[in-house]
Amino acid sequence: MGRHHEGKLDSPSGTSLRTAELMHAARSEPWARKDDADKSEPARGHEVDGISIHSLRLPGSVAHQEVILGGLG
């Protein structure tokens, strides 16, 4: 997830895209994911090689990136 000020033009950010590319390159198996998300809403996230990237653009926000890995256990 990337969070930036409301004036940032690219979404997702280049940093978020590069992080997803590096995560994909470091893994020998495809990423497992629950794929029942409604893809009709762009706010649900951008996908790179099976990795969802969510972007927030908020007034007064400073650049922030967070990687969240979830699964059973």
Side-chain angles (χ1 to χ4, degrees), residues 6-73:
E6 77 278 14
K8 183 154 177 58
L9 299 178
D10 60 335
S11 177
S13 68
T15 302
S16 294
L17 291 173
R18 182 66 178 141
T19 300
E21 290 168 0
L22 291 169
M23 289 171 64
H24 175 72
R27 190 163 172 88
S28 60
E29 299 176 20
W31 290 90
R33 56 179 283 150
K34 185 177 178 185
D35 202 13
D36 64 352
D38 178 4
K39 301 288 184 171
S40 67
E41 292 293 325
R44 298 289 290 185
H46 183 88
E47 187 176 313
V48 174
D49 296 317
I51 301 167
S52 294
I53 302 173
H54 297 272
S55 300
L56 297 174
R57 300 296 182 260
L58 303 168
S61 185
V62 178
H64 173 84
Q65 181 172 311
E66 182 176 6
V67 175
I68 301 172
L69 303 173
L72 295 174

